[in-house]
Tab-separated table of all heavy atoms in Angstrom:
chain	number	residue	atom	x	y	z
A	22	LEU	N	-12.030	-10.265	5.399
A	22	LEU	CA	-12.622	-9.101	4.749
A	22	LEU	C	-13.867	-9.523	3.979
A	22	LEU	O	-13.819	-10.441	3.161
A	22	LEU	CB	-11.594	-8.485	3.785
A	22	LEU	CG	-11.995	-7.242	2.995
A	22	LEU	CD1	-12.235	-6.053	3.907
A	22	LEU	CD2	-10.923	-6.895	1.964
A	23	ASN	N	-14.980	-8.880	4.256
A	23	ASN	CA	-16.227	-9.172	3.537
A	23	ASN	C	-16.145	-8.505	2.174
A	23	ASN	O	-16.120	-7.280	2.064
A	23	ASN	CB	-17.411	-8.644	4.338
A	23	ASN	CG	-18.747	-9.055	3.748
A	23	ASN	OD1	-18.901	-9.168	2.526
A	23	ASN	ND2	-19.730	-9.279	4.604
A	24	LEU	N	-16.085	-9.299	1.120
A	24	LEU	CA	-15.884	-8.760	-0.227
A	24	LEU	C	-17.075	-7.955	-0.733
A	24	LEU	O	-16.973	-7.246	-1.733
A	24	LEU	CB	-15.545	-9.891	-1.199
A	24	LEU	CG	-14.207	-10.609	-0.924
A	24	LEU	CD1	-13.995	-11.766	-1.879
A	24	LEU	CD2	-13.028	-9.647	-0.993
A	25	LYS	N	-18.208	-8.050	-0.016
A	25	LYS	CA	-19.375	-7.241	-0.397
A	25	LYS	C	-19.302	-5.841	0.210
A	25	LYS	O	-20.023	-4.948	-0.196
A	25	LYS	CB	-20.673	-7.935	0.057
A	25	LYS	CG	-20.987	-9.210	-0.728
A	25	LYS	CD	-22.233	-9.868	-0.166
A	25	LYS	CE	-22.498	-11.201	-0.887
A	25	LYS	NZ	-23.649	-11.909	-0.255
A	26	HIS	N	-18.444	-5.683	1.219
A	26	HIS	CA	-18.341	-4.388	1.893
A	26	HIS	C	-17.566	-3.383	1.058
A	26	HIS	O	-16.622	-3.729	0.364
A	26	HIS	CB	-17.681	-4.559	3.265
A	26	HIS	CG	-18.597	-5.143	4.290
A	26	HIS	ND1	-18.183	-5.477	5.561
A	26	HIS	CD2	-19.923	-5.446	4.242
A	26	HIS	CE1	-19.209	-5.961	6.248
A	26	HIS	NE2	-20.280	-5.959	5.458
A	27	LYS	N	-17.955	-2.119	1.185
A	27	LYS	CA	-17.322	-1.062	0.392
A	27	LYS	C	-16.034	-0.549	1.017
A	27	LYS	O	-15.235	0.120	0.372
A	27	LYS	CB	-18.296	0.111	0.217
A	27	LYS	CG	-19.491	-0.214	-0.667
A	27	LYS	CD	-20.396	0.992	-0.788
A	27	LYS	CE	-21.622	0.671	-1.649
A	27	LYS	NZ	-22.548	1.814	-1.712
A	28	ASN	N	-15.835	-0.858	2.316
A	28	ASN	CA	-14.668	-0.337	3.032
A	28	ASN	C	-14.075	-1.379	3.971
A	28	ASN	O	-14.786	-2.245	4.475
A	28	ASN	CB	-15.064	0.894	3.867
A	28	ASN	CG	-15.753	1.960	3.046
A	28	ASN	OD1	-15.113	2.746	2.365
A	28	ASN	ND2	-17.086	1.982	3.081
A	29	GLY	N	-12.781	-1.259	4.205
A	29	GLY	CA	-12.086	-2.104	5.172
A	29	GLY	C	-11.179	-1.244	6.022
A	29	GLY	O	-10.464	-0.384	5.494
A	30	VAL	N	-11.229	-1.429	7.341
A	30	VAL	CA	-10.419	-0.614	8.254
A	30	VAL	C	-9.531	-1.542	9.089
A	30	VAL	O	-10.035	-2.440	9.763
A	30	VAL	CB	-11.304	0.240	9.202
A	30	VAL	CG1	-10.442	1.225	9.985
A	30	VAL	CG2	-12.396	0.975	8.425
A	31	PHE	N	-8.226	-1.310	9.026
A	31	PHE	CA	-7.274	-2.184	9.716
A	31	PHE	C	-6.267	-1.353	10.495
A	31	PHE	O	-5.960	-0.226	10.145
A	31	PHE	CB	-6.536	-3.060	8.695
A	31	PHE	CG	-7.470	-3.871	7.842
A	31	PHE	CD1	-7.891	-3.404	6.606
A	31	PHE	CD2	-7.969	-5.078	8.287
A	31	PHE	CE1	-8.787	-4.120	5.829
A	31	PHE	CE2	-8.872	-5.809	7.524
A	31	PHE	CZ	-9.280	-5.330	6.288
A	32	GLU	N	-5.764	-1.947	11.584
A	32	GLU	CA	-4.741	-1.232	12.354
A	32	GLU	C	-3.409	-1.965	12.258
A	32	GLU	O	-3.363	-3.188	12.100
A	32	GLU	CB	-5.165	-1.042	13.803
A	32	GLU	CG	-5.348	-2.280	14.609
A	32	GLU	CD	-5.657	-1.986	16.082
A	32	GLU	OE1	-4.758	-1.460	16.766
A	32	GLU	OE2	-6.767	-2.282	16.532
A	33	VAL	N	-2.348	-1.183	12.356
A	33	VAL	CA	-0.995	-1.715	12.182
A	33	VAL	C	-0.162	-1.344	13.400
A	33	VAL	O	0.084	-0.179	13.671
A	33	VAL	CB	-0.339	-1.129	10.900
A	33	VAL	CG1	1.087	-1.652	10.738
A	33	VAL	CG2	-1.175	-1.454	9.666
A	34	GLY	N	0.259	-2.358	14.144
A	34	GLY	CA	1.086	-2.127	15.329
A	34	GLY	C	2.540	-2.467	15.051
A	34	GLY	O	2.893	-2.964	13.974
A	35	MET	N	3.378	-2.209	16.017
A	35	MET	CA	4.797	-2.569	15.876
A	35	MET	C	5.483	-2.505	17.225
A	35	MET	O	5.034	-1.792	18.128
A	35	MET	CB	5.516	-1.621	14.914
A	35	MET	CG	5.673	-0.202	15.448
A	35	MET	SD	7.008	0.716	14.701
A	35	MET	CE	7.377	1.880	16.025
A	36	ASP	N	6.584	-3.257	17.363
A	36	ASP	CA	7.483	-2.985	18.477
A	36	ASP	C	8.934	-2.937	18.006
A	36	ASP	O	9.848	-2.774	18.792
A	36	ASP	CB	7.278	-3.940	19.663
A	36	ASP	CG	7.490	-5.391	19.321
A	36	ASP	OD1	8.075	-5.673	18.259
A	36	ASP	OD2	7.094	-6.252	20.126
A	37	LYS	N	9.124	-3.060	16.666
A	37	LYS	CA	10.468	-2.851	16.126
A	37	LYS	C	10.411	-2.410	14.665
A	37	LYS	O	9.368	-2.522	14.006
A	37	LYS	CB	11.338	-4.095	16.291
A	37	LYS	CG	10.808	-5.376	15.658
A	37	LYS	CD	11.788	-6.511	15.957
A	37	LYS	CE	11.348	-7.815	15.304
A	37	LYS	NZ	10.243	-8.469	15.995
A	38	LYS	N	11.527	-1.914	14.184
A	38	LYS	CA	11.665	-1.424	12.820
A	38	LYS	C	11.297	-2.525	11.820
A	38	LYS	O	11.613	-3.691	12.032
A	38	LYS	CB	13.122	-0.977	12.609
A	38	LYS	CG	13.394	-0.344	11.267
A	38	LYS	CD	14.876	-0.031	11.132
A	38	LYS	CE	15.191	0.437	9.728
A	38	LYS	NZ	16.638	0.614	9.511
A	39	GLY	N	10.617	-2.152	10.753
A	39	GLY	CA	10.299	-3.092	9.675
A	39	GLY	C	8.929	-3.730	9.775
A	39	GLY	O	8.389	-4.216	8.773
A	40	GLU	N	8.331	-3.739	10.977
A	40	GLU	CA	7.024	-4.392	11.150
A	40	GLU	C	5.903	-3.633	10.448
A	40	GLU	O	5.034	-4.243	9.830
A	40	GLU	CB	6.701	-4.565	12.634
A	40	GLU	CG	7.507	-5.657	13.278
A	40	GLU	CD	7.130	-5.909	14.727
A	40	GLU	OE1	6.689	-4.987	15.414
A	40	GLU	OE2	7.292	-7.059	15.166
A	41	VAL	N	5.919	-2.290	10.556
A	41	VAL	CA	4.885	-1.495	9.882
A	41	VAL	C	5.006	-1.682	8.371
A	41	VAL	O	4.004	-1.795	7.669
A	41	VAL	CB	4.993	0.007	10.271
A	41	VAL	CG1	4.076	0.869	9.403
A	41	VAL	CG2	4.635	0.201	11.738
A	42	ASP	N	6.246	-1.750	7.885
A	42	ASP	CA	6.477	-1.968	6.445
A	42	ASP	C	5.884	-3.307	6.005
A	42	ASP	O	5.132	-3.388	5.035
A	42	ASP	CB	7.977	-1.933	6.158
A	42	ASP	CG	8.289	-2.129	4.682
A	42	ASP	OD1	7.722	-1.381	3.852
A	42	ASP	OD2	9.076	-3.032	4.344
A	43	PHE	N	6.204	-4.361	6.749
A	43	PHE	CA	5.732	-5.707	6.407
A	43	PHE	C	4.199	-5.782	6.400
A	43	PHE	O	3.593	-6.284	5.453
A	43	PHE	CB	6.313	-6.720	7.402
A	43	PHE	CG	5.789	-8.117	7.240
A	43	PHE	CD1	6.204	-8.918	6.185
A	43	PHE	CD2	4.848	-8.631	8.132
A	43	PHE	CE1	5.695	-10.211	6.030
A	43	PHE	CE2	4.343	-9.913	7.983
A	43	PHE	CZ	4.774	-10.706	6.917
A	44	LEU	N	3.576	-5.251	7.452
A	44	LEU	CA	2.122	-5.365	7.590
A	44	LEU	C	1.378	-4.459	6.614
A	44	LEU	O	0.360	-4.850	6.045
A	44	LEU	CB	1.701	-5.059	9.031
A	44	LEU	CG	2.209	-6.043	10.091
A	44	LEU	CD1	1.882	-5.550	11.486
A	44	LEU	CD2	1.639	-7.445	9.874
A	45	SER	N	1.890	-3.235	6.414
A	45	SER	CA	1.188	-2.327	5.495
A	45	SER	C	1.364	-2.745	4.035
A	45	SER	O	0.552	-2.398	3.189
A	45	SER	CB	1.616	-0.871	5.719
A	45	SER	OG	2.999	-0.711	5.603
A	46	LYS	N	2.420	-3.527	3.755
A	46	LYS	CA	2.584	-4.099	2.392
A	46	LYS	C	1.451	-5.081	2.102
A	46	LYS	O	0.922	-5.138	0.992
A	46	LYS	CB	3.926	-4.825	2.296
A	46	LYS	CG	4.999	-4.077	1.532
A	46	LYS	CD	6.162	-5.000	1.183
A	46	LYS	CE	7.281	-4.197	0.548
A	46	LYS	NZ	8.080	-3.460	1.553
A	47	ILE	N	1.112	-5.876	3.111
A	47	ILE	CA	0.026	-6.861	2.944
A	47	ILE	C	-1.299	-6.127	2.720
A	47	ILE	O	-2.106	-6.500	1.869
A	47	ILE	CB	-0.111	-7.762	4.207
A	47	ILE	CG1	1.199	-8.456	4.533
A	47	ILE	CG2	-1.219	-8.802	4.019
A	47	ILE	CD1	1.224	-9.069	5.946
A	48	ILE	N	-1.515	-5.060	3.506
A	48	ILE	CA	-2.780	-4.316	3.436
A	48	ILE	C	-2.869	-3.465	2.175
A	48	ILE	O	-3.941	-3.323	1.581
A	48	ILE	CB	-2.951	-3.416	4.687
A	48	ILE	CG1	-2.958	-4.261	5.964
A	48	ILE	CG2	-4.236	-2.591	4.605
A	48	ILE	CD1	-2.893	-3.446	7.252
A	49	ASN	N	-1.709	-2.871	1.770
A	49	ASN	CA	-1.667	-2.007	0.581
A	49	ASN	C	-2.839	-1.006	0.579
A	49	ASN	O	-3.704	-1.017	-0.288
A	49	ASN	CB	-1.698	-2.879	-0.684
A	49	ASN	CG	-1.425	-2.112	-1.959
A	49	ASN	OD1	-1.980	-2.434	-2.993
A	49	ASN	ND2	-0.612	-1.088	-1.901
A	50	PRO	N	-2.888	-0.114	1.591
A	50	PRO	CA	-4.070	0.735	1.778
A	50	PRO	C	-4.247	1.832	0.723
A	50	PRO	O	-3.276	2.302	0.137
A	50	PRO	CB	-3.834	1.366	3.151
A	50	PRO	CG	-2.343	1.388	3.300
A	50	PRO	CD	-1.850	0.162	2.595
A	51	ASP	N	-5.495	2.226	0.538
A	51	ASP	CA	-5.797	3.402	-0.277
A	51	ASP	C	-5.573	4.660	0.559
A	51	ASP	O	-5.185	5.700	0.040
A	51	ASP	CB	-7.271	3.374	-0.725
A	51	ASP	CG	-7.582	2.144	-1.557
A	51	ASP	OD1	-7.205	2.129	-2.730
A	51	ASP	OD2	-8.188	1.196	-1.019
A	52	ILE	N	-5.859	4.527	1.858
A	52	ILE	CA	-5.697	5.637	2.799
A	52	ILE	C	-4.878	5.150	3.991
A	52	ILE	O	-5.188	4.118	4.583
A	52	ILE	CB	-7.068	6.144	3.305
A	52	ILE	CG1	-7.954	6.596	2.139
A	52	ILE	CG2	-6.899	7.275	4.320
A	52	ILE	CD1	-9.426	6.764	2.504
A	53	GLY	N	-3.839	5.892	4.336
A	53	GLY	CA	-3.048	5.589	5.518
A	53	GLY	C	-3.290	6.665	6.569
A	53	GLY	O	-3.562	7.815	6.226
A	54	VAL	N	-3.195	6.284	7.838
A	54	VAL	CA	-3.371	7.241	8.939
A	54	VAL	C	-2.242	7.032	9.948
A	54	VAL	O	-1.946	5.901	10.318
A	54	VAL	CB	-4.719	7.035	9.683
A	54	VAL	CG1	-4.934	8.132	10.713
A	54	VAL	CG2	-5.887	6.953	8.712
A	55	ILE	N	-1.611	8.145	10.368
A	55	ILE	CA	-0.666	8.093	11.493
A	55	ILE	C	-1.264	8.969	12.589
A	55	ILE	O	-1.391	10.181	12.430
A	55	ILE	CB	0.745	8.588	11.102
A	55	ILE	CG1	1.303	7.756	9.940
A	55	ILE	CG2	1.687	8.512	12.312
A	55	ILE	CD1	2.656	8.214	9.407
A	56	THR	N	-1.672	8.358	13.683
A	56	THR	CA	-2.397	9.091	14.736
A	56	THR	C	-1.493	10.044	15.514
A	56	THR	O	-1.842	11.181	15.773
A	56	THR	CB	-3.066	8.116	15.731
A	56	THR	OG1	-2.044	7.278	16.305
A	56	THR	CG2	-4.128	7.273	15.063
A	57	ASN	N	-0.314	9.556	15.917
A	57	ASN	CA	0.621	10.337	16.729
A	57	ASN	C	1.899	9.531	16.927
A	57	ASN	O	1.931	8.335	16.615
A	57	ASN	CB	0.013	10.688	18.102
A	57	ASN	CG	-0.630	9.488	18.762
A	57	ASN	OD1	-0.014	8.441	18.909
A	57	ASN	ND2	-1.893	9.608	19.138
A	58	ILE	N	2.909	10.189	17.468
A	58	ILE	CA	4.178	9.510	17.769
A	58	ILE	C	4.515	9.744	19.235
A	58	ILE	O	4.538	10.875	19.710
A	58	ILE	CB	5.332	10.036	16.881
A	58	ILE	CG1	5.008	9.849	15.385
A	58	ILE	CG2	6.654	9.346	17.237
A	58	ILE	CD1	4.802	8.416	14.928
A	59	SER	N	4.769	8.640	19.952
A	59	SER	CA	5.112	8.724	21.361
A	59	SER	C	6.036	7.565	21.718
A	59	SER	O	6.284	6.679	20.890
A	59	SER	CB	3.832	8.663	22.202
A	59	SER	OG	4.130	8.476	23.562
A	60	TYR	N	6.511	7.552	22.967
A	60	TYR	CA	7.386	6.470	23.436
A	60	TYR	C	6.575	5.239	23.823
A	60	TYR	O	6.642	4.761	24.952
A	60	TYR	CB	8.186	6.934	24.649
A	60	TYR	CG	9.401	7.773	24.325
A	60	TYR	CD1	9.352	9.156	24.431
A	60	TYR	CD2	10.599	7.183	23.928
A	60	TYR	CE1	10.473	9.935	24.159
A	60	TYR	CE2	11.715	7.951	23.654
A	60	TYR	CZ	11.647	9.324	23.764
A	60	TYR	OH	12.757	10.083	23.494
A	61	ALA	N	5.792	4.709	22.905
A	61	ALA	CA	5.108	3.430	23.138
A	61	ALA	C	5.944	2.348	22.466
A	61	ALA	O	6.448	2.563	21.365
A	61	ALA	CB	3.712	3.471	22.545
A	62	HIS	N	6.101	1.197	23.107
A	62	HIS	CA	6.928	0.100	22.569
A	62	HIS	C	8.305	0.625	22.170
A	62	HIS	O	8.814	0.332	21.093
A	62	HIS	CB	6.245	-0.566	21.374
A	62	HIS	CG	4.868	-1.066	21.656
A	62	HIS	ND1	4.614	-2.154	22.454
A	62	HIS	CD2	3.663	-0.595	21.275
A	62	HIS	CE1	3.311	-2.347	22.551
A	62	HIS	NE2	2.712	-1.404	21.838
A	63	ALA	N	8.924	1.408	23.060
A	63	ALA	CA	10.167	2.117	22.718
A	63	ALA	C	11.433	1.314	23.011
A	63	ALA	O	12.535	1.787	22.744
A	63	ALA	CB	10.215	3.446	23.471
A	64	LYS	N	11.269	0.098	23.539
A	64	LYS	CA	12.445	-0.647	24.006
A	64	LYS	C	13.449	-0.945	22.892
A	64	LYS	O	14.631	-1.105	23.145
A	64	LYS	CB	12.006	-1.951	24.697
A	64	LYS	CG	11.259	-2.908	23.785
A	64	LYS	CD	10.838	-4.166	24.518
A	64	LYS	CE	10.074	-5.100	23.575
A	64	LYS	NZ	9.620	-6.302	24.244
A	65	ASN	N	12.974	-1.031	21.631
A	65	ASN	CA	13.878	-1.365	20.514
A	65	ASN	C	14.335	-0.150	19.712
A	65	ASN	O	14.842	-0.297	18.606
A	65	ASN	CB	13.188	-2.373	19.583
A	65	ASN	CG	12.953	-3.700	20.276
A	65	ASN	OD1	13.822	-4.206	20.969
A	65	ASN	ND2	11.765	-4.267	20.115
């Protein structure tokens, strides 16, 4: 992350429960976005 930049944009993937929690904890965003829900990475 460039500390001189005013904004940072990151994406959070998953293929099982708990991964979004773990990754978004690290990011601790000011703004969160959920694009949609579908059967992607649905095996778990």
Side-chain angles (χ1 to χ4, degrees):
L22 180 65
N23 187 326
L24 295 176
K25 290 177 184 175
H26 284 175
K27 291 180 181 177
N28 306 279
V30 189
F31 304 94
E32 64 175 293
V33 178
M35 69 157 206
D36 60 16
K37 57 181 182 284
K38 184 184 173 186
E40 286 184 331
V41 171
D42 181 53
F43 174 74
L44 295 173
S45 56
K46 256 194 186 79
I47 304 166
I48 300 171
N49 190 214
D51 300 283
I52 302 165
V54 186
I55 302 176
T56 58
N57 47 53
I58 302 299
S59 168
Y60 280 100
H62 305 289
K64 62 181 179 182
N65 295 316

